[in-house]
Amino acid sequence: MKLTVFGATGGIGQEIVHQALASGHQVTAVVRDPARLTARGERLTVLRTDLSDPEALRGAVRGRDAVLSGLGARSRADAGVAARLTRSVLSAMEAEKVRRLLVVSAAPLGPVPAGQAVLDKAVLAIVNAALKDVYADLRVMESDLATSTADWTSVRPPKLTDKPATGRYRTVIGGTPPRGRSLGRADVAHAMLAMIDDPATVKQGVGVAY
């Protein structure tokens, strides 16, 4: 497939690019700083462009089978980045009639699983309070997705780790895996790539966790 990856120099974005290339896909990596991208290969195109300008992004998504985004705030100071930049991506995709989009969101935006342990609920409340601005940004992003023409999927992992890819994680379409406390960035990327051609995940939030 022909894929475009936004946020390609972030922890999840780098994994998406590496795994997509390893699987034989053609990848366009959209970056601010090409020097931060570690991937190399004949099937890789690196595009440095203004992520806030939909017109500048049209060439990056033109003719693509799917677009994958690892865009998001790295800290509370970056809150607002996910919604603002995803809006530009959506505009570019609509202009180029590209439909499939997969983005990274977060587990707290999904429903609380039935029977969730008291400890997990308490931890979730603390995390929500600490990162309320980041999650508010992601809620706006998901709202924009829901009103767009894209065939979107919002992938919602819990706490991220640097654990190598295992392929052994739980996926709940429209829900949240119970007691799902962490997921490696490499497995987030693995899950996103696996969902590209899964029609059951279209226009859905998908919880993923170990």
Side-chain angles (χ1 to χ4, degrees), residues 80-152:
V81 166
R84 177 168 53 84
L85 298 184
T86 302
R87 205 169 289 137
S88 294
V89 173
L90 285 167
S91 296
M93 290 178 62
E94 183 172 2
E96 293 298 328
K97 296 180 172 53
V98 176
R99 298 293 299 273
R100 191 69 174 112
L101 172 65
L102 299 98
V103 304
V104 177
S105 185
L109 273 71
V112 176
Q116 183 82 308
V118 174
L119 176 60
D120 288 328
K121 289 181 180 179
V123 171
L124 181 60
I126 293 171
V127 172
N128 280 340
L131 297 175
K132 63 179 181 179
D133 295 336
V134 173
Y135 293 148
D137 176 27
L138 293 175
R139 288 188 179 92
V140 173
M141 178 191 73
E142 290 206 2
S143 178
D144 288 342
L145 292 174
T147 58
S148 74
T149 61
D151 290 335
W152 57 271

Side-chain angles (χ1 to χ4, degrees), residues 37-57:
L37 186 66
T38 59
R40 300 290 184 272
E42 293 181 357
R43 294 186 307 277
L44 174 64
T45 300
V46 181
L47 180 61
R48 183 178 185 178
T49 191
D50 182 0
L51 299 180
S52 64
D53 181 2
E55 284 298 314
L57 300 182

